[in-house]
mmCIF file of all heavy atoms in Angstrom:
data_model
loop_
_atom_site.group_PDB
_atom_site.id
_atom_site.type_symbol
_atom_site.label_atom_id
_atom_site.label_comp_id
_atom_site.label_asym_id
_atom_site.label_seq_id
_atom_site.Cartn_x
_atom_site.Cartn_y
_atom_site.Cartn_z
ATOM 1 N N HIS C 1 -6.221 1.836 2.079
ATOM 2 C CA HIS C 1 -5.219 1.292 1.171
ATOM 3 C C HIS C 1 -5.581 -0.147 0.847
ATOM 4 O O HIS C 1 -5.936 -0.930 1.738
ATOM 5 C CB HIS C 1 -3.837 1.348 1.840
ATOM 6 C CG HIS C 1 -2.782 0.567 1.152
ATOM 7 N ND1 HIS C 1 -2.242 -0.594 1.683
ATOM 8 C CD2 HIS C 1 -2.153 0.764 -0.034
ATOM 9 C CE1 HIS C 1 -1.322 -1.061 0.866
ATOM 10 N NE2 HIS C 1 -1.247 -0.258 -0.180
ATOM 11 N N ILE C 2 -5.508 -0.488 -0.444
ATOM 12 C CA ILE C 2 -5.758 -1.857 -0.903
ATOM 13 C C ILE C 2 -4.422 -2.432 -1.361
ATOM 14 O O ILE C 2 -3.783 -1.889 -2.263
ATOM 15 C CB ILE C 2 -6.794 -1.870 -2.049
ATOM 16 C CG1 ILE C 2 -8.120 -1.282 -1.558
ATOM 17 C CG2 ILE C 2 -6.995 -3.290 -2.572
ATOM 18 C CD1 ILE C 2 -9.163 -1.090 -2.658
ATOM 19 N N PRO C 3 -3.940 -3.524 -0.746
ATOM 20 C CA PRO C 3 -2.555 -3.977 -0.968
ATOM 21 C C PRO C 3 -2.312 -4.576 -2.352
ATOM 22 O O PRO C 3 -3.151 -5.286 -2.895
ATOM 23 C CB PRO C 3 -2.357 -5.034 0.130
ATOM 24 C CG PRO C 3 -3.736 -5.553 0.385
ATOM 25 C CD PRO C 3 -4.650 -4.387 0.212
ATOM 26 N N LYS C 4 -1.138 -4.272 -2.886
ATOM 27 C CA LYS C 4 -0.673 -4.815 -4.161
ATOM 28 C C LYS C 4 0.839 -4.691 -4.223
ATOM 29 O O LYS C 4 1.379 -3.626 -3.975
ATOM 30 C CB LYS C 4 -1.301 -4.043 -5.318
ATOM 31 C CG LYS C 4 -0.829 -4.419 -6.714
ATOM 32 C CD LYS C 4 0.481 -3.818 -7.203
ATOM 33 C CE LYS C 4 0.731 -2.401 -6.872
ATOM 34 N NZ LYS C 4 2.150 -1.985 -7.288
ATOM 35 N N THR C 5 1.542 -5.765 -4.505
ATOM 36 C CA THR C 5 2.954 -5.688 -4.865
ATOM 37 C C THR C 5 3.451 -7.063 -5.270
ATOM 38 O O THR C 5 3.193 -8.041 -4.574
ATOM 39 C CB THR C 5 3.848 -5.144 -3.736
ATOM 40 O OG1 THR C 5 5.210 -5.264 -4.129
ATOM 41 C CG2 THR C 5 3.646 -5.870 -2.429
ATOM 42 N N ILE C 6 4.142 -7.140 -6.393
ATOM 43 C CA ILE C 6 4.691 -8.428 -6.810
ATOM 44 C C ILE C 6 5.893 -8.800 -5.961
ATOM 45 O O ILE C 6 6.283 -9.968 -5.912
ATOM 46 C CB ILE C 6 5.071 -8.431 -8.302
ATOM 47 C CG1 ILE C 6 6.257 -7.515 -8.587
ATOM 48 C CG2 ILE C 6 3.879 -8.058 -9.172
ATOM 49 C CD1 ILE C 6 6.821 -7.670 -9.988
ATOM 50 N N ASP C 7 6.470 -7.829 -5.261
ATOM 51 C CA ASP C 7 7.641 -8.107 -4.418
ATOM 52 C C ASP C 7 7.277 -8.866 -3.146
ATOM 53 O O ASP C 7 8.154 -9.418 -2.485
ATOM 54 C CB ASP C 7 8.348 -6.814 -4.035
ATOM 55 C CG ASP C 7 9.000 -6.137 -5.225
ATOM 56 O OD1 ASP C 7 9.441 -6.852 -6.141
ATOM 57 O OD2 ASP C 7 9.059 -4.897 -5.251
ATOM 58 N N ASN C 8 6.007 -8.847 -2.770
ATOM 59 C CA ASN C 8 5.528 -9.562 -1.580
ATOM 60 C C ASN C 8 6.177 -9.036 -0.304
ATOM 61 O O ASN C 8 6.436 -9.791 0.638
ATOM 62 C CB ASN C 8 5.807 -11.066 -1.717
ATOM 63 C CG ASN C 8 4.941 -11.900 -0.780
ATOM 64 O OD1 ASN C 8 3.793 -11.567 -0.515
ATOM 65 N ND2 ASN C 8 5.496 -12.990 -0.289
ATOM 66 N N ASP C 9 6.429 -7.733 -0.252
ATOM 67 C CA ASP C 9 7.205 -7.191 0.869
ATOM 68 C C ASP C 9 6.401 -6.273 1.796
ATOM 69 O O ASP C 9 6.989 -5.524 2.582
ATOM 70 C CB ASP C 9 8.433 -6.441 0.347
ATOM 71 C CG ASP C 9 8.078 -5.285 -0.586
ATOM 72 O OD1 ASP C 9 6.885 -5.089 -0.880
ATOM 73 O OD2 ASP C 9 9.004 -4.576 -1.027
ATOM 74 N N LEU C 10 5.065 -6.324 1.738
ATOM 75 C CA LEU C 10 4.267 -5.502 2.644
ATOM 76 C C LEU C 10 4.226 -6.112 4.035
ATOM 77 O O LEU C 10 3.982 -7.310 4.196
ATOM 78 C CB LEU C 10 2.832 -5.356 2.126
ATOM 79 C CG LEU C 10 2.595 -4.396 0.960
ATOM 80 C CD1 LEU C 10 1.099 -4.285 0.684
ATOM 81 C CD2 LEU C 10 3.176 -3.027 1.227
ATOM 82 N N LEU C 11 4.450 -5.295 5.031
ATOM 83 C CA LEU C 11 4.330 -5.744 6.414
ATOM 84 C C LEU C 11 2.876 -6.086 6.733
ATOM 85 O O LEU C 11 1.956 -5.656 6.043
ATOM 86 C CB LEU C 11 4.836 -4.654 7.352
ATOM 87 C CG LEU C 11 6.330 -4.328 7.270
ATOM 88 C CD1 LEU C 11 6.651 -3.083 8.087
ATOM 89 C CD2 LEU C 11 7.168 -5.507 7.746
ATOM 90 N N CYS C 12 2.679 -6.846 7.800
ATOM 91 C CA CYS C 12 1.353 -7.208 8.321
ATOM 92 C C CYS C 12 0.602 -8.202 7.434
ATOM 93 O O CYS C 12 -0.562 -8.496 7.689
ATOM 94 C CB CYS C 12 0.456 -5.982 8.532
ATOM 95 S SG CYS C 12 1.141 -4.734 9.620
ATOM 96 N N ASN C 13 1.257 -8.715 6.386
ATOM 97 C CA ASN C 13 0.604 -9.649 5.476
ATOM 98 C C ASN C 13 1.398 -10.948 5.364
ATOM 99 O O ASN C 13 2.627 -10.926 5.325
ATOM 100 C CB ASN C 13 0.488 -9.040 4.077
ATOM 101 C CG ASN C 13 -0.558 -7.958 3.990
ATOM 102 O OD1 ASN C 13 -1.726 -8.231 3.725
ATOM 103 N ND2 ASN C 13 -0.155 -6.711 4.224
ATOM 104 N N ASP C 14 0.663 -12.072 5.270
ATOM 105 C CA ASP C 14 1.328 -13.338 4.950
ATOM 106 C C ASP C 14 1.864 -13.279 3.524
ATOM 107 O O ASP C 14 2.965 -13.747 3.236
ATOM 108 C CB ASP C 14 0.342 -14.498 5.092
ATOM 109 C CG ASP C 14 0.947 -15.826 4.668
ATOM 110 O OD1 ASP C 14 1.703 -16.400 5.466
ATOM 111 O OD2 ASP C 14 0.672 -16.257 3.525
ATOM 112 N N HIS C 15 1.091 -12.691 2.629
ATOM 113 C CA HIS C 15 1.498 -12.470 1.243
ATOM 114 C C HIS C 15 0.607 -11.380 0.667
ATOM 115 O O HIS C 15 -0.394 -10.994 1.268
ATOM 116 C CB HIS C 15 1.397 -13.757 0.418
ATOM 117 C CG HIS C 15 0.026 -14.373 0.422
ATOM 118 N ND1 HIS C 15 -0.430 -15.164 1.452
ATOM 119 C CD2 HIS C 15 -1.002 -14.288 -0.457
ATOM 120 C CE1 HIS C 15 -1.675 -15.561 1.204
ATOM 121 N NE2 HIS C 15 -2.038 -15.034 0.042
ATOM 122 N N THR C 16 0.976 -10.886 -0.493
ATOM 123 C CA THR C 16 0.308 -9.719 -1.048
ATOM 124 C C THR C 16 -0.220 -10.014 -2.446
ATOM 125 O O THR C 16 0.488 -10.625 -3.253
ATOM 126 C CB THR C 16 1.294 -8.537 -1.135
ATOM 127 O OG1 THR C 16 1.945 -8.388 0.126
ATOM 128 C CG2 THR C 16 0.571 -7.247 -1.478
ATOM 129 N N PRO C 17 -1.446 -9.584 -2.769
ATOM 130 C CA PRO C 17 -1.946 -9.768 -4.141
ATOM 131 C C PRO C 17 -0.981 -9.207 -5.177
ATOM 132 O O PRO C 17 -0.438 -8.114 -5.018
ATOM 133 C CB PRO C 17 -3.262 -8.981 -4.126
ATOM 134 C CG PRO C 17 -3.735 -9.072 -2.710
ATOM 135 C CD PRO C 17 -2.471 -8.988 -1.886
ATOM 136 N N GLY C 18 -0.781 -9.966 -6.231
ATOM 137 C CA GLY C 18 0.196 -9.620 -7.256
ATOM 138 C C GLY C 18 1.392 -10.544 -7.207
ATOM 139 O O GLY C 18 1.965 -10.888 -8.252
ATOM 140 N N TYR C 19 1.758 -10.972 -6.000
ATOM 141 C CA TYR C 19 2.931 -11.833 -5.865
ATOM 142 C C TYR C 19 2.700 -13.212 -6.476
ATOM 143 O O TYR C 19 3.541 -13.719 -7.231
ATOM 144 C CB TYR C 19 3.316 -11.990 -4.398
ATOM 145 C CG TYR C 19 4.356 -13.068 -4.180
ATOM 146 C CD1 TYR C 19 5.646 -12.908 -4.664
ATOM 147 C CD2 TYR C 19 4.037 -14.261 -3.515
ATOM 148 C CE1 TYR C 19 6.605 -13.902 -4.488
ATOM 149 C CE2 TYR C 19 4.987 -15.256 -3.336
ATOM 150 C CZ TYR C 19 6.263 -15.075 -3.827
ATOM 151 O OH TYR C 19 7.201 -16.062 -3.668
ATOM 152 N N GLY C 20 1.578 -13.843 -6.169
ATOM 153 C CA GLY C 20 1.336 -15.209 -6.632
ATOM 154 C C GLY C 20 1.409 -15.346 -8.136
ATOM 155 O O GLY C 20 1.950 -16.336 -8.659
ATOM 156 N N SER C 21 0.893 -14.361 -8.864
ATOM 157 C CA SER C 21 0.894 -14.424 -10.324
ATOM 158 C C SER C 21 2.280 -14.157 -10.889
ATOM 159 O O SER C 21 2.721 -14.828 -11.832
ATOM 160 C CB SER C 21 -0.112 -13.414 -10.885
ATOM 161 O OG SER C 21 -1.424 -13.742 -10.474
ATOM 162 N N ALA C 22 2.993 -13.172 -10.339
ATOM 163 C CA ALA C 22 4.356 -12.905 -10.793
ATOM 164 C C ALA C 22 5.259 -14.099 -10.470
ATOM 165 O O ALA C 22 6.136 -14.469 -11.275
ATOM 166 C CB ALA C 22 4.891 -11.636 -10.138
ATOM 167 N N ALA C 23 5.046 -14.711 -9.300
ATOM 168 C CA ALA C 23 5.831 -15.889 -8.923
ATOM 169 C C ALA C 23 5.542 -17.054 -9.862
ATOM 170 O O ALA C 23 6.444 -17.837 -10.197
ATOM 171 C CB ALA C 23 5.521 -16.279 -7.480
ATOM 172 N N ARG C 24 4.299 -17.168 -10.292
ATOM 173 C CA ARG C 24 3.929 -18.213 -11.252
ATOM 174 C C ARG C 24 4.658 -17.995 -12.578
ATOM 175 O O ARG C 24 5.156 -18.941 -13.198
ATOM 176 C CB ARG C 24 2.423 -18.219 -11.456
ATOM 177 C CG ARG C 24 1.913 -19.291 -12.409
ATOM 178 C CD ARG C 24 0.388 -19.277 -12.455
ATOM 179 N NE ARG C 24 -0.111 -20.123 -13.533
ATOM 180 C CZ ARG C 24 -0.239 -21.438 -13.458
ATOM 181 N NH1 ARG C 24 0.089 -22.054 -12.329
ATOM 182 N NH2 ARG C 24 -0.691 -22.133 -14.476
ATOM 183 N N PHE C 25 4.724 -16.736 -13.017
ATOM 184 C CA PHE C 25 5.468 -16.429 -14.242
ATOM 185 C C PHE C 25 6.937 -16.817 -14.084
ATOM 186 O O PHE C 25 7.528 -17.444 -14.974
ATOM 187 C CB PHE C 25 5.376 -14.939 -14.585
ATOM 188 C CG PHE C 25 6.325 -14.516 -15.666
ATOM 189 C CD1 PHE C 25 5.979 -14.660 -16.990
ATOM 190 C CD2 PHE C 25 7.588 -14.030 -15.351
ATOM 191 C CE1 PHE C 25 6.867 -14.305 -17.999
ATOM 192 C CE2 PHE C 25 8.484 -13.676 -16.341
ATOM 193 C CZ PHE C 25 8.123 -13.812 -17.673
ATOM 194 N N VAL C 26 7.544 -16.438 -12.959
ATOM 195 C CA VAL C 26 8.958 -16.742 -12.726
ATOM 196 C C VAL C 26 9.196 -18.249 -12.765
ATOM 197 O O VAL C 26 10.140 -18.734 -13.410
ATOM 198 C CB VAL C 26 9.428 -16.146 -11.385
ATOM 199 C CG1 VAL C 26 10.776 -16.719 -10.976
ATOM 200 C CG2 VAL C 26 9.503 -14.629 -11.479
ATOM 201 N N ALA C 27 8.335 -19.011 -12.080
ATOM 202 C CA ALA C 27 8.508 -20.463 -12.038
ATOM 203 C C ALA C 27 8.399 -21.072 -13.433
ATOM 204 O O ALA C 27 9.204 -21.942 -13.805
ATOM 205 C CB ALA C 27 7.470 -21.084 -11.102
#
């Protein structure tokens, strides 16, 4: 499995690919 989610809610991760860019859009 290769992690991806803009919700940043995957366990075992400090953060998840997809979140940083979606968070940038929100900001």
Side-chain angles (χ1 to χ4, degrees):
H1 167 250
I2 299 173
K4 175 279 319 174
T5 173
I6 68 170
D7 292 328
N8 199 35
D9 59 357
L10 284 186
L11 294 171
C12 303
N13 287 271
D14 176 79
H15 57 279
T16 310
Y19 169 67
S21 297
R24 182 176 170 81
F25 169 85
V26 167

